Amino acid sequence: MLTKWKTSLLTVATVLTLGFATSCGNNSTSNVQIAGIKGPKVSLLQDNMMISLVFENVQLDGGLRYNIPKYKYSFLEISPDLESNGTLMQVSVSLKDIINGGLDKLDPAKLPGGRNLPGVTSGSLPAVAFSIEKFHNMSLYLGKDVFGIFIPASIGVDGAIASFRYYIGEKRAGTISVVGNDAAGENAGVLLMLDMKGQVKSQMMNVYKKFNQ
């Protein structure tokens, strides 16, 4: 079950910063805490956006690395978490793919199972869906001004979708939604939607050019 929507401090190790990413101090705005999940945490390593989560109730015997379909330079790694009995997931999304990959031309999709994406007028965005061990029906979304990732997880909530502002440091970076099971009792998870417009898009282009001259 979701906790009482209480919040916890988000720690972000940022090597380079986009407009929405600042290093995190004691006065950092906090994010919703989801029972059984630590994160997501977002950082930028050179020209790769790193999204990290720990699933405290998912166990793996070993680690694996997966290439993300359609995202030529991006990948996902899962491994046993060294600080708990759970599983660490790290998703590395290359700015090459976001800026030059033509991914905004993919067929639009909604949440797994067919519910509308919260906060999206059309309810859908260009997307790619795939499954890996222990995590079925993952989705990455890329619109004109937003990047999103849906990660399946056992939330223990039926029907409801609850959305909250997502912060990195003291700046709002987008939204995070806790997605409960659908009518079939499936497709629960966490949806992270990051804003990529205005100053953020401009600084993203600068980082991309710095590492791709």
Side-chain angles (χ1 to χ4, degrees):
M1 289 292 292
L2 196 65
T3 63
K4 298 177 181 178
W5 306 120
K6 65 182 181 179
T7 57
S8 63
L9 189 65
L10 177 72
T11 303
V12 181
T14 306
V15 180
L16 294 174
T17 57
L18 297 180
F20 62 73
T22 61
S23 58
C24 181
N26 291 333
N27 295 323
S28 174
T29 304
S30 53
N31 290 301
V32 65
Q33 180 182 352
I34 304 170
I37 298 175
K38 294 181 180 178
K41 300 176 183 178
V42 180
S43 60
L44 195 67
L45 178 61
Q46 295 185 344
D47 62 342
N48 295 286
M49 180 169 58
M50 308 293 293
I51 302 169
S52 302
L53 304 92
V54 173
F55 297 86
E56 297 174 329
N57 300 318
V58 177
Q59 283 80 41
L60 290 174
D61 294 328
L64 291 171
R65 174 169 170 162
Y66 302 87
N67 294 324
I68 299 175
K70 306 294 184 180
Y71 282 67
K72 183 177 180 180
Y73 301 101
S74 303
F75 60 91
L76 180 155
E77 290 184 329
I78 55 174
S79 62
D81 180 45
L82 298 179
E83 298 180 357
S84 71
N85 292 323
T87 292
L88 170 65
M89 175 185 290
Q90 293 183 303
V91 184
S92 175
V93 181
S94 173
L95 296 188
K96 294 179 186 178
D97 290 328
I98 291 178
I99 293 172
N100 260 346
L103 299 170
D104 56 344
K105 298 178 176 62
L106 292 171
D107 291 337
K110 300 182 178 183
L111 286 169
R115 287 174 291 178
N116 285 344
L117 289 168
V120 177
T121 302
S122 64
S124 62
L125 287 171
V128 59
F130 60 99
S131 296
I132 62 173
E133 182 183 1
K134 301 284 188 178
F135 298 93
H136 299 286
N137 294 327
M138 293 189 63
S139 295
L140 269 65
Y141 303 90
L142 183 63
K144 180 181 178 182
D145 296 322
V146 64
F147 169 82
I149 180 169
F150 175 81
I151 301 174
S154 179
I155 301 298
V157 177
D158 289 328
I161 298 177
S163 298
F164 306 86
R165 290 183 175 89
Y166 181 78
Y167 296 91
I168 300 178
E170 296 180 349
K171 292 188 177 181
R172 181 178 176 181
T175 61
I176 183 168
S177 298
V178 180
V179 180
N181 291 325
D182 58 19
E186 301 174 339
N187 298 310
V190 177
L191 175 69
L192 178 65
M193 303 285 274
L194 297 173
D195 294 332
M196 294 192 174
K197 56 188 175 184
Q199 183 181 7
V200 172
K201 182 173 286 187
S202 176
Q203 293 187 3
M204 184 186 298
M205 288 297 300
N206 290 337
V207 171
Y208 170 77
K209 291 175 182 178
K210 176 179 177 67
F211 289 96
N212 294 278
Q213 292 180 346

